[in-house]
Amino acid sequence: MKRIVNDPGRPKDVRRTRRVGSFTCGASMIGFGVMFLLNTLFDLIDYTQIFSLWPLLLICMGAEMLISNLKYSDTERFTLVYDKGAIVLTILVTIFAVGMGIMDYCIQCVAKYGNMCI
């Protein structure tokens, strides 16, 4: 019979696994999704502003790692596992935001100055 991790009858020697990076990945997906939606539907925020926010992902990821290490430093009961998929997805979202910012800058430059930008 397989035991559930949060089972109150669980033996004390079983270690729990905590995934680090999932919260930052989810928050960044929601944040960037909302910003891109605002740009697409209402033109309230432009890509250069979205591009300038990418360092927040690094700050949030680092903060999540530090908080997890401090909160779950009891290594006898907890094992910290870095969520590699979430970290890779966060990096891809960052690269996408940078690419969208560059494309928006190029489009605005060509619209304003013609082919002299290129």
Side-chain angles (χ1 to χ4, degrees):
M1 182 169 116
K2 190 174 183 180
R3 291 190 155 227
I4 300 173
V5 174
N6 294 329
D7 184 9
R10 178 179 53 83
K12 299 288 183 194
D13 61 339
V14 175
R15 294 168 56 135
R16 291 184 180 177
T17 301
R18 299 289 181 192
R19 295 174 70 111
V20 179
S22 299
F23 178 78
T24 301
C25 179
S28 65
M29 295 295 282
I30 292 171
F32 277 109
V34 166
M35 288 187 284
F36 286 128
L37 183 67
L38 289 175
N39 179 290
T40 303
L41 295 179
F42 306 111
D43 203 23
L44 294 176
I45 187 170
D46 63 356
Y47 289 120
T48 55
Q49 291 172 330
I50 297 171
F51 170 67
S52 65
L53 295 175
W54 72 266
L56 286 176
L57 292 176
L58 298 176
I59 293 168
C60 291
M61 186 68 73
E64 183 179 357
M65 288 179 181
L66 286 175
I67 290 169
S68 295
N69 283 327
L70 291 174
K71 186 175 180 182
Y72 301 112
S73 62
D74 183 7
T75 57
E76 293 175 4
R77 294 186 329 169
F78 297 105
T79 302
L80 290 179
V81 176
Y82 294 104
D83 191 355
K84 293 172 187 72
I87 293 171
V88 167
L89 192 57
T90 303
I91 291 169
L92 289 175
V93 167
T94 304
I95 291 170
F96 178 74
V98 169
M100 293 298 286
I102 291 170
M103 288 301 296
D104 185 54
Y105 174 77
C106 292
I107 290 169
Q108 288 179 4
C109 184
V110 168
K112 188 173 184 179
Y113 300 111
N115 288 335
M116 293 176 59
C117 295
I118 302 173

